Amino acid sequence: MAAALRRVTLDDVRGARKMLSGVARVTAMEGSRHLTRLVGAPVHLKCENLQRTGSFKLRGAYVRIAGLLPEERAAGVVAASAGNHAQGVALASSLLGVRSTVFMPEGAPLPKISATREYGAEVRLKGQVVDETLAAAQEYAERTGAVFIHPFDHPDVIAGQGTVGLEVLEQCPEVRTVVVGIGGGGLVAGMAVALKALRPDVRIVGVQAEGAAAYPPSLAAGRPVSVDRPVTMADGIKVGRPGDVPFGIVEELVDEVRTVSEDALSTALLLCLERAKLVVEPAGASPVAALLSDPRAFEGPVVAVLSGGNVDPLLLQGVLRHGMAAQGRYLAVRLRLTDRPGALATLLGVLSAADANVLDVSHVRTDPRLGLTEAEVELRLETKGPQHCAEVQAALREAGYPVIG
């Protein structure tokens, strides 16, 4: 308990950086022309999605495990995670020669389970949500004597994550605003310790998903409070309660916590893929989502931390569709035409001329609302955005097709 309540300092973060030398990568920082135009000031992306294991989590996990006493290492470590922390603990343990057991939710994505095993951990699937998985891991620790490695609620973990802040200041010394996704708060707390100690003028903005935003009510109450049944596609920040240690730091040092919608998250992920050529998970895209949602609210230069890139391919497929829909790049229309040979080909010719890509077509001929020679056609189209949607609808009306919806 004394260790958990220990204050995290700049010296702790600097010590963590020495410990991580040769272990964690100094990840790249890339400029974003699109976001720079949108925000009206330089925007840079800190690419922790390119870190070993695909997220920043290796930093904190390694520092925590490296700091264990010899007898603690001999007992092994245990962790609970939906993916990123699991992989960080697994790799850190392997590098340090420590036996690791990782509990993951039963519905965890298969690529994350496989990666955790490949990094050397024994994986046990338990629980439907992370809180149940966390309880199973803690019970295992009490029963076996293994050391529980918390994903965010420990000073050593926070110090390790804070090394991202040191790199930000070195790579973008003129930075004015740093935007960071928040789950339990370990990353933003560690970065805040480093940033505010060295550059107290830098504004730190945390970002949470609307459906899993425990920090705003916690900050209002002055203590960590729980959100029942957090719901978001961003599993990396899907945490129901802030950690006690990071909460105290966030309350003191973080300037603002914002929330973003699921539409904003999916649009941000799509932008990272299309414009920055970076694979980012929804949690990692949350700072970009905040910039897209209110671009003029951030003084530049801005650094947005892309915290991870471990996205399940099936989720990625769905998120991309959702992001394209949020950008108005899908259009569903119903219209009526004369039910005769060649009628559909003529309609498709109009859509081709309007440069709309037909994804799906369905016919209805038996609806009692239809005339004897009428058919109703429902089309799902891929477009280039809201303006193109309007142009396609105008082209259909001009060709004599009454658009129903």
Side-chain angles (χ1 to χ4, degrees), residues 38-126:
L38 192 68
V39 172
V43 176
H44 306 278
L45 306 175
K46 176 60 172 168
C47 301
E48 281 297 290
N49 59 311
L50 303 180
Q51 184 58 262
R52 296 178 71 179
T53 74
S55 87
F56 71 95
K57 288 288 191 177
L58 172 65
R59 298 173 184 262
Y62 188 91
V63 172
R64 172 76 173 103
I65 297 169
L68 295 178
L69 298 173
E71 57 269 26
E72 291 175 318
R73 292 195 188 193
V77 300
V78 60
S81 168
N84 287 345
H85 180 59
Q87 293 173 67
V89 168
L91 178 58
S93 299
S94 295
L95 293 172
L96 292 164
V98 177
R99 183 179 71 257
S100 63
T101 303
V102 175
F103 284 78
M104 302 181 75
E106 292 172 7
L110 290 178
K112 293 187 178 182
I113 295 172
S114 298
T116 303
R117 285 181 173 140
E118 289 172 8
Y119 286 128
E122 177 189 347
V123 174
R124 301 191 181 191
L125 302 180
K126 188 72 173 180

Side-chain angles (χ1 to χ4, degrees), residues 328 330-331 354 383-397:
Y330 288 131
L331 173 64
T383 67
K384 300 173 184 177
Q387 179 61 35
H388 190 211
C389 287
E391 293 170 359
V392 171
Q393 290 174 309
L396 289 170
R397 284 191 293 269

Side-chain angles (χ1 to χ4, degrees), residues 137-146:
Q138 290 171 326
E139 187 277 331
Y140 176 89
E142 293 171 1
R143 177 165 47 84
T144 66

Side-chain angles (χ1 to χ4, degrees), residues 14-37:
R14 285 173 166 162
R17 186 171 195 184
K18 291 180 181 177
M19 196 176 293
L20 288 167
S21 177
V23 175
R25 295 173 182 149
V26 176
T27 52
M29 184 175 290
E30 301 287 344
S32 171
R33 285 180 293 180
H34 178 78
L35 290 172
T36 293
R37 287 195 299 269

Side-chain angles (χ1 to χ4, degrees), residues 61-384:
Y62 188 91
V63 172
R64 172 76 173 103
I65 297 169
L68 295 178
L69 298 173
E71 57 269 26
E72 291 175 318
R73 292 195 188 193
V77 300
V78 60
S81 168
N84 287 345
H85 180 59
Q87 293 173 67
V89 168
L91 178 58
S93 299
S94 295
L95 293 172
L96 292 164
V98 177
R99 183 179 71 257
S100 63
T101 303
V102 175
F103 284 78
M104 302 181 75
E106 292 172 7
L110 290 178
K112 293 187 178 182
I113 295 172
S114 298
T116 303
R117 285 181 173 140
E118 289 172 8
Y119 286 128
E122 177 189 347
V123 174
R124 301 191 181 191
L125 302 180
K126 188 72 173 180
Q128 298 299 319
V129 296
V130 173
D131 287 344
E132 295 174 0
T133 307
L134 187 64
Q138 290 171 326
E139 187 277 331
Y140 176 89
E142 293 171 1
R143 177 165 47 84
T144 66
V147 179
F148 179 67
I149 307 299
H150 200 285
F152 49 81
D153 205 12
H154 193 280
D156 290 346
V157 173
I158 292 170
Q161 321 303 29
T163 59
V164 179
L166 297 179
E167 292 177 19
V168 165
L169 290 179
E170 291 169 359
Q171 293 169 317
C172 185
E174 69 278 16
V175 63
R176 298 291 298 172
T177 306
V178 176
V179 191
V180 191
I182 300 182
L187 175 61
V188 73
M191 292 187 66
V193 168
L195 291 167
K196 290 295 188 178
L198 296 170
R199 283 280 307 281
D201 59 307
V202 171
R203 183 171 179 80
I204 303 172
V205 179
V207 183
Q208 292 206 288
E210 286 178 354
Y215 264 92
S218 296
L219 292 169
R223 58 180 175 79
V225 298
S226 298
V227 172
D228 292 333
R229 297 183 181 88
V231 178
T232 176
M233 71 176 78
D235 59 353
I237 53 174
K238 187 180 176 182
V239 177
R241 182 186 184 277
D244 293 324
V245 182
F247 176 80
I249 298 171
V250 171
E251 186 177 40
E252 179 183 351
L253 299 180
V254 173
D255 297 284
E256 180 185 4
V257 176
R258 290 175 167 247
T259 61
V260 292
S261 68
E262 298 297 286
D263 281 353
L265 286 169
S266 56
T267 300
L269 189 151
L270 184 61
L271 183 143
C272 289
L273 277 172
E274 287 191 322
R275 298 300 182 96
K277 315 307 179 190
L278 292 168
V279 176
V280 182
E281 62 190 272
S286 59
V288 176
L291 295 178
L292 295 175
S293 300
D294 191 5
R296 298 294 171 172
F298 302 89
E299 181 184 0
V302 177
V303 172
V305 181
L306 307 182
S307 58
N310 292 318
V311 56
D312 177 40
L314 292 177
L315 174 63
L316 179 61
Q317 185 179 44
V319 170
L320 291 180
R321 285 198 302 265
H322 191 77
M324 291 179 71
Q327 287 189 342
R329 289 166 62 176
Y330 288 131
L331 173 64
V333 295
R334 286 187 301 123
L335 48 85
R336 291 180 183 177
L337 47 74
T338 302
D339 190 13
R340 58 177 174 77
L344 181 59
T346 302
L347 169 61
L348 296 179
V350 173
L351 294 172
S352 177
D355 206 18
N357 184 32
V358 178
L359 300 176
D360 192 40
V361 180
S362 64
H363 279 83
V364 176
R365 292 187 172 88
T366 58
D367 193 303
R369 296 172 300 167
L370 298 174
L372 184 62
T373 61
E374 284 185 321
E376 190 172 283
V377 178
E378 185 170 336
L379 303 107
R380 193 162 60 92
L381 311 172
E382 182 182 359
T383 67
K384 300 173 184 177

